[in-house]
Amino acid sequence: MDPRVLEAMIPYFTEHFGNAASRNHPFGWEAEEAVDYAREQVAKLIGADPKEIIFTSGATEGDNLGIKGVYEMYASKGNHIITCTTEHKAVLDTCKHIEHLGGEVTYLPVAANGLIDLTALEAAIKPTTILIAIMYANNEIGVVQPVKEISTIAKKHGVLFFSDAVQAVGKIPVDVNADGIDIMAFTAHKMYGPKGIGALYVRRKNPRVKVTAQMDGGGHERGMRSGTLNVPGIVGFGKACELARLEMAADAERLSKLRDKL
């Protein structure tokens, strides 16, 4: 973890220990204020509105909430999901679970360069297709999928586009509006933040996306993810996002030189 991230987090374990959902005392207000600020920092990194950021325990939960949440919410429209064979286990296993529930999943292969074939993607869409789930950058071979082109195909057919962007956010510029992503999972520990905290971006307009909660309780996070917020983790995530946004270009240059030397 970046020492600057740890420094931002420490006071929220001891001095500012309130629950962000406690609205009737100053301890809670202080925590809520810190969460609101972090939400802005996270949103700014991906070009989103802070209200579109749902805090989770990490990208695995984000993948589950995004995919299962859409499958349940849009069940009346269809039950078909399109994904790719090289996705992270968190996506593949979630899709397997949906198949057990009676859903239909198409697993697209990748070409020799690790990318999906856009023609095959469009050909796989049917009237019952509700979601295309394709990762942004691959966690093993590093290829970046053509997300803009995928989103164009999805929009054309009125299908939602979900992306596991864990390995992209904080490393390369990601803008949910420019990229046309409707739902996106990412996490703090891939950008020098703490483990155990992540986020799910859920688009609010054009189109307004809804997902069914997978965790029920006090209705936290706009009813999409109940549970007492991990305030120190969220503060750390916010700081990590801010640092990634400010230092991404310099970091990319440094890492590119190391890669080329290797």
Side-chain angles (χ1 to χ4, degrees):
M1 192 157 64
D2 190 306
R4 294 168 294 178
V5 170
L6 179 61
E7 195 182 339
M9 290 171 70
I10 285 173
Y12 292 91
F13 285 108
T14 51
E15 299 157 50
H16 314 304
F17 51 80
N19 180 344
S22 299
R23 297 270 163 83
N24 53 357
H25 53 67
F27 301 103
W29 304 336
E30 204 171 42
E32 187 182 29
E33 201 175 301
V35 166
D36 288 345
Y37 182 60
R39 207 184 293 276
E40 285 172 22
Q41 291 174 306
V42 173
K44 203 167 183 182
L45 179 61
I46 61 164
D49 180 312
K51 291 191 182 77
E52 297 175 310
I53 302 298
I54 305 301
F55 286 118
T56 64
S57 63
T60 295
E61 187 191 341
D63 289 341
N64 274 263
L65 176 56
I67 298 169
K68 291 176 183 173
V70 164
Y71 178 74
E72 287 181 35
M73 181 61 73
Y74 296 87
S76 61
K77 192 187 169 202
N79 70 341
H80 179 232
I81 293 170
I82 300 170
T83 189
C84 166
T85 52
T86 56
E87 291 289 314
H88 188 275
K89 275 275 188 239
V91 168
L92 293 174
D93 286 355
T94 299
C95 287
K96 294 282 181 222
H97 177 81
I98 281 169
E99 285 182 298
H100 288 311
L101 296 176
E104 188 190 354
V105 183
T106 297
Y107 298 91
L108 297 174
V110 293
N113 61 3
L115 301 177
I116 61 164
D117 179 337
L118 295 171
T119 312
L121 168 66
E122 189 155 19
I125 296 172
K126 9 176 166 186
T128 52
T129 308
I130 50 173
L131 186 71
I132 293 170
I134 302 289
M135 62 181 7
Y136 205 118
N138 188 276
N139 51 302
E140 292 181 2
I141 56 173
V143 296
V144 177
Q145 295 288 352
V147 288
K148 285 180 191 173
E149 290 85 346
I150 294 168
S151 75
T152 302
I153 292 168
K155 295 272 179 300
K156 181 176 156 189
H157 294 273
V159 174
L160 294 176
F161 175 35
F162 167 84
S163 189
D164 173 330
V166 170
Q167 300 290 353
V169 175
K171 314 276 174 55
I172 57 176
V174 172
D175 184 306
V176 288
N177 291 307
D179 294 333
I181 296 168
D182 297 312
I183 313 154
M184 183 175 82
F186 55 111
T187 198
H189 75 268
K190 299 293 184 184
M191 55 178 102
Y192 308 108
K195 294 172 188 69
I197 183 71
L200 184 70
Y201 158 77
V202 182
R203 181 175 287 284
R204 289 192 85 205
K205 56 183 182 184
N206 304 319
R208 184 179 179 87
V209 180
K210 292 182 179 179
V211 297
T212 302
Q214 301 300 302
M215 191 89 78
D216 297 311
H220 306 72
E221 295 300 276
R222 298 196 2 258
M224 290 187 227
R225 200 273 186 183
S226 288
T228 299
L229 291 178
N230 171 5
V231 179
I234 288 168
V235 167
F237 191 10
K239 184 66 177 176
C241 284
E242 183 180 82
L243 293 170
R245 185 173 58 81
L246 298 173
E247 299 173 6
M248 193 190 300
D251 251 9
E253 194 181 338
R254 182 178 66 85
L255 291 170
S256 296
K257 279 179 185 165
L258 291 172
R259 180 200 59 194
D260 294 346
K261 188 178 173 71
L262 181 67

